[in-house]
Amino acid sequence: MKNNASNSFMLMAIFFLFLNLANSQNPKKILTLGDSNGAFTYGWVYQLQKMLPNDLIFNTSTPGNTVGFDNLDQSKLNTLKNLDKYLSTAQDSLEHIDYILIMLGTNDAKYIFRHRQKEVYNNMQTLISKLKDFSYQSKSKPKIIIISPPPFGDNQVLDEKYKGGSKRIKHTVKFFKQIAKKNNCGFVNLYKELKHSFMNYSKDGIHLNEEGQKIIAKKVLQRTMNLN
């Protein structure tokens, strides 16, 4: 068993060594759109940057962010309303964008939006369309990857504003998978990956701890590499 673990560790180390060598010669420019799980100082974007030290990531993740709702009555938490600003600022900073990683949907499943869930699908489709239609400086358009929101915990651990979210987030993931396929986007199914182990990485049933954030980053990295 020790030999198998040691071999696995060595293979992983060799993989990241070659990955970093390749990236140093052709660094990727990445824009991330996300919420609090991406905004944390230990969040998945930070973990991804550690795995891709030679690449550049422009992170717009904001706690409370939604795909297309004015969460807490704040337009700054509506990604659709701020998308042009995000894209323009990221492009000015990065010069060009190779990948756009989207991890949104958790806040769209809040209790207050329970009667507006059909809008979530339409909002995400609009978001993808705007990303595809944006006037990029580079000849090639960025690859878009939709990362599903993770599961919710059970009601007994959730704050009131997220009550009943487990069922809503399940439908959100289904919608996002359909949109990814329809629009030829990459898709990372975190919901499926974490469905049976989520509470091992979360105290409040919404936010993941550092180990959980590392899992997200590894899955995103695998999917990104598959698209190269």
Side-chain angles (χ1 to χ4, degrees):
M1 291 294 290
K2 289 184 178 180
N3 287 336
N4 288 338
S6 178
N7 289 338
S8 297
F9 177 81
M10 286 295 296
L11 288 172
M12 184 64 71
I14 292 171
F15 169 76
F16 281 111
L17 175 62
F18 279 105
L19 177 62
N20 288 333
L21 287 173
N23 289 343
S24 64
Q25 298 175 356
N26 186 27
K28 292 187 287 293
K29 311 288 184 69
I30 302 169
L31 167 63
T32 55
L33 306 174
D35 49 31
S36 53
N37 277 311
F40 289 140
T41 55
Y42 58 87
W44 68 269
V45 178
Y46 170 77
Q47 303 299 339
L48 185 64
Q49 183 69 82
K50 286 177 65 177
M51 296 174 188
L52 298 171
N54 298 304
D55 293 340
L56 297 176
I57 300 179
F58 191 93
N59 186 18
T60 66
S61 298
T62 305
N65 241 3
T66 68
V67 179
F69 294 140
D70 286 358
N71 189 22
L72 305 175
D73 293 323
Q74 298 182 49
S75 60
K76 69 178 183 179
L77 301 180
N78 185 325
T79 301
L80 271 178
K81 290 185 176 180
N82 295 280
L83 188 60
D84 287 340
K85 179 184 69 176
Y86 290 158
L87 288 168
S88 297
T89 307
Q91 187 164 246
D92 288 343
S93 176
L94 300 173
E95 295 184 351
H96 71 272
I97 303 171
D98 297 307
Y99 292 94
I100 298 176
L101 309 180
I102 308 165
M103 185 177 160
L104 294 165
T106 294
N107 292 299
D108 301 77
K110 279 184 170 181
Y111 183 79
I112 195 172
F113 301 127
R114 65 193 181 281
H115 298 310
R116 302 179 63 184
Q117 291 302 290
K118 290 183 178 179
E119 294 178 49
V120 179
Y121 177 93
N122 294 329
N123 288 339
M124 180 58 87
Q125 180 57 62
T126 301
L127 181 68
I128 299 302
S129 296
K130 291 186 71 171
L131 289 174
K132 287 179 172 287
D133 293 340
F134 186 77
S135 296
Y136 297 98
Q137 294 175 359
S138 58
K139 293 182 180 179
S140 60
K141 293 190 175 183
K143 297 182 177 76
I144 301 170
I145 300 175
I146 299 174
I147 307 164
S148 85
F152 277 26
D154 294 331
N155 273 340
Q156 58 263 32
V157 300
L158 292 176
D159 190 75
E160 285 295 326
K161 61 186 176 182
Y162 293 110
K163 293 294 184 183
S166 294
K167 185 176 181 179
R168 292 189 291 275
I169 209 69
K170 183 178 180 180
H171 287 294
T172 297
V173 173
K174 181 181 178 181
F175 291 155
F176 286 5
K177 185 175 182 180
Q178 291 172 352
I179 290 172
K181 183 177 181 180
K182 176 182 177 181
N183 293 276
N184 196 29
C185 299
F187 184 71
V188 179
N189 197 337
L190 285 182
Y191 181 90
K192 182 178 180 180
E193 178 70 24
L194 294 168
K195 183 178 180 180
H196 299 294
S197 61
F198 181 69
M199 289 309 297
N200 293 333
Y201 308 105
S202 178
K203 291 183 178 180
D204 63 2
I206 296 294
H207 304 100
L208 289 93
N209 63 19
E210 187 168 358
E211 289 305 309
Q213 303 291 349
K214 289 178 181 178
I215 291 174
I216 296 175
K218 288 176 182 178
K219 291 300 173 182
V220 172
L221 178 59
Q222 290 173 2
R223 185 60 177 143
T224 304
M225 294 304 296
N226 288 340
L227 289 177
N228 279 341

